[in-house]
Amino acid sequence: MSLAWWEGPLLAIETSCDETSAAVLIGPRVLSNVIASQVDMHQQWGGVVPEAASRAHVEAVLPVIQESLSQAAMRLEDITALAVTNRPGLVGALSVGATAAKALAFARKLPLVGVHHLEGHLLSSLAADPELPFPHLALVVSGGHTELVWVKAPGQAAILAETLDDAAGEAFDKGARLLGLGYPGGAAIQEAAKGGNPKRYRLPQAIPNDPHHFSFSGLKTAVLRLVETEENINVADAAASLQAAIVGALVSKTMDAVVREQAQTLTLGGGVAANLALREALAAACAREGVRFVPTPLGLCTDNAAMIGIAGSLRLAQGERAGIELDVAAVSPIPG
Ligand code: KG4
Ligand code: ZN
């Protein structure tokens, strides 16, 4: 099945959390994807402060849009449509991107579409292969979500499994904080785990006997206990053990679903998809099962506007349009 894409240059905007991002795409082809991260600012507080995030988006959004146009060698006049993340996320942060997109669409009389953030993560593997077959199984792992999704077609997603408590990214972030590795934790754990012994510390793989749920809060408690009881903790070994526990839980539940659903293709998206241990483990497991594995390109795993452009382009090509009344929402189920 070949997908229908919006054919002209599309400008996409993403401001749902702590990255201000704008991208220019033609169909699935990403011409630019500019990301201004607020990580340095939020680091001092150990997490995202919503009010500070909104203010930083206000400052960054226009320069980031300008830069995305300039890197794509385009002017605003060349843009033929707009896509913007309008849910879920921090409402103040989302409003900045949505207002910018609405103003541009209104001023230039361009079609506009609102995109669900998770649908962006879900479809970002299309940047690696625009001919990706549907239906397929998708694992979406981010700071807010851990979902196994059966994707019948773009915009038609059914959740097969989700987390009962913490998301996979939260497990990395909370573990990193306990080990004194700072925020955000995923990349820090990956770096600290290099050369560490993943078998040194026994951490639970957090797999309840239930195909429909992940659970990571027990892991956080186990790391806390480890930090409290172990006098000379080896941080590399602890980081490697934590990473192995999270990756092990994700891979085993995902591969069970691959077999159960007889999936031919597995995709991987979301910030945690940047984790090399997870990518390697899923690639090996899929190779053993004879299943095609299509991870999101590394640069499109953590929050970015290109993935919003991909999801938005497909919706625009289906005729979907949002008006000037397009609203934002903190919580919203994935479209299906
Ligand atoms: O998708 P994302 O940028 O934002 C959300 O939608 O939540 O995901 C952010 C999450 C954070 O929890 C961060 O620690 C995690 O992705 N992350 C990683 C890596 N890079 C980012 N986790 C593990 N390994 C990484 N290399
Ligand atoms: Zn995200």
Side-chain angles (χ1 to χ4, degrees):
M1 177 180 75
S2 222
L3 297 172
W5 297 91
W6 181 262
E7 285 179 3
L10 170 104
L11 175 66
I13 301 171
E14 149 70 42
T15 61
S16 67
C17 189
D18 59 349
E19 333 274 354
T20 316
S21 182
V24 177
L25 295 90
I26 295 182
R29 205 152 50 86
V30 179
L31 303 185
S32 67
N33 186 31
V34 176
I35 304 167
S37 177
Q38 305 174 4
V39 160
D40 291 349
M41 178 183 74
H42 295 295
Q43 230 154 23
Q44 58 184 311
W45 302 301
V48 177
V49 175
E51 175 61 22
S54 309
R55 285 170 152 275
H57 284 307
V58 169
E59 281 174 25
V61 71
L62 292 180
V64 164
I65 289 171
Q66 280 295 353
E67 183 61 22
S68 73
L69 290 167
S70 142
Q71 287 188 15
M74 298 226 176
R75 297 162 307 150
L76 191 54
E77 293 72 26
D78 300 320
I79 296 299
T80 59
L82 284 130
V84 65
T85 312
N86 72 323
R87 68 200 195 283
L90 304 170
V91 282
L94 286 164
S95 299
V96 177
T99 305
K102 283 196 277 188
L104 289 171
F106 186 69
R108 303 211 51 79
K109 299 189 174 51
L110 295 176
L112 166 72
V113 70
V115 174
H116 192 287
H117 182 80
L118 218 58
E119 187 168 293
H121 281 307
L122 196 60
L123 298 177
S124 53
S125 286
L126 284 164
D129 178 7
E131 302 291 327
L132 191 65
F134 290 82
H136 61 247
L137 186 69
L139 175 64
V140 180
V141 272
S142 71
H145 291 90
T146 305
E147 325 260 354
L148 262 175
V149 185
W150 187 250
V151 194
K152 265 169 89 176
Q156 288 181 38
I159 292 178
L160 301 181
E162 57 195 342
T163 183
L164 287 169
D165 38 59
D166 291 345
E170 263 177 300
F172 273 106
D173 294 340
K174 290 179 178 173
R177 191 190 300 213
L178 289 169
L179 294 173
L181 293 171
Y183 160 90
I189 292 278
Q190 175 172 310
E191 188 57 32
K194 281 183 188 159
N197 175 5
K199 298 207 170 92
R200 168 79 178 273
Y201 299 112
R202 194 173 283 277
L203 295 172
Q205 288 237 336
I207 309 171
N209 203 5
D210 168 354
H212 304 298
H213 296 106
F214 296 92
S215 170
F216 292 104
S217 63
L219 193 52
K220 176 190 61 192
T221 312
V223 176
L224 177 62
R225 205 170 305 129
L226 183 68
V227 171
E228 284 173 351
T229 56
E230 195 82 11
E231 266 188 20
N232 287 317
I233 195 164
N234 181 309
V235 174
D237 291 349
S241 301
L242 174 62
Q243 178 171 263
I246 298 170
V247 168
L250 291 172
V251 172
S252 76
K253 200 140 291 198
T254 301
M255 295 316 291
D256 285 352
V258 162
V259 172
R260 203 175 51 246
E261 305 296 330
Q262 300 183 326
Q264 313 274 304
T265 308
L266 173 71
T267 67
L268 174 68
V272 180
N275 187 271
L276 296 180
L278 176 61
R279 295 169 83 93
E280 282 165 17
L282 281 176
C286 284
R288 278 196 297 277
E289 293 294 333
V291 168
R292 193 153 160 250
F293 177 50
V294 187
T296 295
L298 268 180
L300 300 196
C301 291
T302 49
D303 288 350
N304 66 89
M307 67 181 193
I308 302 304
I310 286 173
S313 178
L314 294 167
R315 287 190 170 269
L316 284 160
Q318 294 297 319
E320 187 171 324
R321 300 288 182 273
I324 201 79
E325 71 290 343
L326 176 71
D327 214 349
V328 301
V331 182
S332 165
I334 189 163

